[in-house]
Amino acid sequence: MSQGKVAVAMSGGVDSSVAAWLVKEAGFDATGVTLRLYEKSNEECPMCEAEDARKVATLMGMDHFTLDYREAFNENVVCRFVNSYFNGKTPNPCIECNKYIKFGKLCEEAKKLGFTHVATGHYAQIEYSEEKQRWLLKKGANAEKDQSYVLYNLTQEQLAMTLLPLGGLSKPQVRAIAEAQGFVNAHKKDSQDICFVPDGDYSGFIKHFTGKMPEAGNFVDTSGKILGPHKGIINYTIGQRKGLGLALCKPMYVKSKDPVTNEVVISEDAELFSQELDARDVNLIACDSFEGDIRLKARIRYKHKEQWATVTMTGKTTAHVVFDEPVRAVAKGQSVVFYDGDYVFGGGIIS
């Protein structure tokens, strides 16, 4: 007897394929859904991912279809990415994609199509707390692959209808399942870069996407002294040392970027550390709201080691964070995610 109808987001990779197999093994009526998100370059096969997903779905006796989300992805992910860079920020498009596309638009459409659940191949876990009477998001059992950081925007409604079958597994275990089942993508390489910028050349992508060359400006030190010209603020990231094109007598790093003056501020490494930050668009998972200060661990980047901090809500969706010890290279546009042990308490965008 089926436990419900599940739309499994299948990218064509091994993770989502094994997620689909596990959902089906658990007794759900599973259907594979591939999201077409962006136009690929001439060197890439536009439908290769969908074809791999279809082959795996067919092997398992599952239906499969493709949804064209290119317009929504362009508006909510790519344009936000580009605008953030021009505004001196460092965005995380995977977080935006999860918020607006994979757990926003897909969940809404899945409900309209009669599905009870959506499943993905993320390495994280979802639990229901009888004590708190709410859904909780927990780190993946395998710390190396844990993706809870990029899922902090999930709402209670989305958590309730989401299945994350890989949460208790490691990557070798996932590949072993895929190989045992004869999946065509069992040994497919993991994607390392942003999906729509596969070569990792963010500034090149932005130039091509907008048709505009970034305006040159000046590198300055923290006192405002001009140290030389830069090639446009989109070419630099916070904490960057190499590729500045400056002849300096000591190592210097990008500390901040000012889109108003078009200046890139550089400093010595010690000046990259700060102890406080503000966050906007805060989403709380562990509770609806809280008053006063709360002690949590916080992560300011995907692979950043969590640090103890005091978190205070300064508004309905804004927060102030004070770390016990200074943290390096806090970047506007990245997300700060709060953890209570292994559970995601919430998170927001560093402002």
Side-chain angles (χ1 to χ4, degrees):
M1 187 177 194
S2 173
Q3 297 188 38
K5 292 184 64 179
V6 184
V8 186
M10 298 180 70
S11 64
V14 65
D15 291 335
S16 56
S17 295
V18 171
W21 183 81
L22 291 170
V23 165
K24 192 171 175 61
E25 284 293 292
F28 290 94
D29 178 7
T31 297
V33 182
T34 298
L35 310 182
R36 189 174 182 189
L37 301 178
Y38 59 97
E39 295 293 350
K40 297 180 181 292
S41 67
N42 292 332
E43 291 78 21
E44 298 175 281
C45 170
M47 297 304 288
C48 283
E49 288 89 347
E51 181 60 19
D52 283 348
R54 186 193 63 76
K55 287 177 181 177
V56 171
T58 300
L59 185 64
M60 291 189 287
M62 286 171 46
D63 289 335
H64 173 268
F65 63 94
T66 300
L67 291 172
D68 190 343
Y69 282 177
R70 284 175 294 177
E71 184 176 345
F73 185 81
N74 185 70
E75 177 183 348
N76 292 290
V77 181
V78 180
C79 288
R80 288 174 185 271
F81 173 84
V82 170
N83 290 334
S84 288
Y85 264 103
F86 274 116
N87 284 303
K89 299 173 184 176
T90 308
N92 188 322
C94 295
I95 287 175
E96 303 284 8
C97 182
N98 287 330
K99 179 179 180 177
Y100 294 104
I101 307 299
K102 291 179 182 174
F103 297 96
K105 191 172 176 63
L106 179 58
C107 280
E108 290 178 8
E109 189 148 1
K111 283 190 292 184
K112 292 177 183 177
L113 293 172
F115 291 99
T116 56
H117 298 83
V118 165
T120 74
H122 287 96
Y123 288 83
Q125 303 175 82
I126 295 173
E127 297 177 359
Y128 185 75
S129 169
E130 292 290 350
E131 178 186 352
K132 294 187 175 183
Q133 292 289 293
R134 63 192 297 117
W135 293 91
L136 303 177
L137 177 64
K138 189 179 181 181
K139 293 177 183 176
N142 183 261
E144 187 179 339
K145 290 297 293 181
D146 169 48
Q147 292 175 300
S148 60
Y149 174 87
V150 297
L151 300 176
Y152 77 84
N153 271 312
L154 288 175
T155 65
Q156 284 296 299
E157 183 180 7
Q158 291 165 349
L159 286 164
M161 72 176 297
T162 297
L163 303 176
L164 301 177
L166 306 189
L169 302 177
S170 66
K171 189 70 178 206
Q173 289 175 310
V174 168
R175 289 202 183 276
I177 292 173
E179 187 171 354
Q181 297 304 313
F183 293 167
V184 295
N185 52 18
H187 299 286
K188 194 173 186 178
K189 290 184 179 179
D190 292 340
S191 56
Q192 299 296 325
D193 296 295
I194 295 171
C195 65
F196 56 92
V197 193
D199 61 0
D201 182 6
Y202 304 152
S203 60
F205 171 83
I206 293 170
K207 293 169 194 172
H208 177 75
F209 181 81
T210 62
K212 296 189 298 185
M213 291 297 292
E215 184 181 350
N218 289 317
F219 283 112
V220 298
D221 64 17
T222 52
S223 69
K225 178 184 176 181
I226 295 176
L227 301 175
H230 69 65
K231 298 178 181 179
I233 61 173
I234 69 168
N235 292 291
Y236 309 98
T237 57
I238 306 303
Q240 178 180 338
R241 175 187 173 186
K242 296 181 179 179
L244 302 183
L246 295 173
L248 302 169
C249 59
K250 55 188 173 182
M252 298 287 275
Y253 304 79
V254 174
K255 178 178 174 61
S256 62
K257 301 182 288 184
D258 189 333
V260 177
T261 62
N262 196 28
E263 291 176 332
V264 175
V265 180
I266 61 175
S267 70
E268 294 184 55
D269 187 69
E271 294 179 275
L272 291 179
F273 288 81
S274 54
Q275 206 158 344
E276 302 181 31
L277 64 82
D278 290 302
R280 60 176 172 84
D281 299 339
V282 172
N283 179 63
L284 298 178
I285 291 178
C287 58
D288 287 326
S289 63
F290 68 91
E291 295 182 358
D293 300 338
I294 189 167
R295 296 281 293 163
L296 299 165
K297 283 193 172 181
R299 189 186 297 178
I300 59 168
R301 282 181 295 278
Y302 178 40
K303 291 298 185 181
H304 175 243
K305 185 179 179 180
E306 296 155 26
Q307 305 288 329
W308 277 108
T310 300
V311 182
T312 307
M313 294 300 293
T314 55
K316 190 174 181 180
T317 59
T318 57
H320 184 66
V321 182
V322 181
F323 290 91
D324 288 10
E325 300 291 336
V327 291
R328 186 181 186 275
V330 175
K332 294 179 182 179
Q334 287 285 294
S335 289
V336 56
V337 178
F338 314 124
Y339 287 87
D340 183 6
D342 287 336
Y343 292 87
V344 175
F345 192 90
I349 298 175
I350 298 170
S351 59

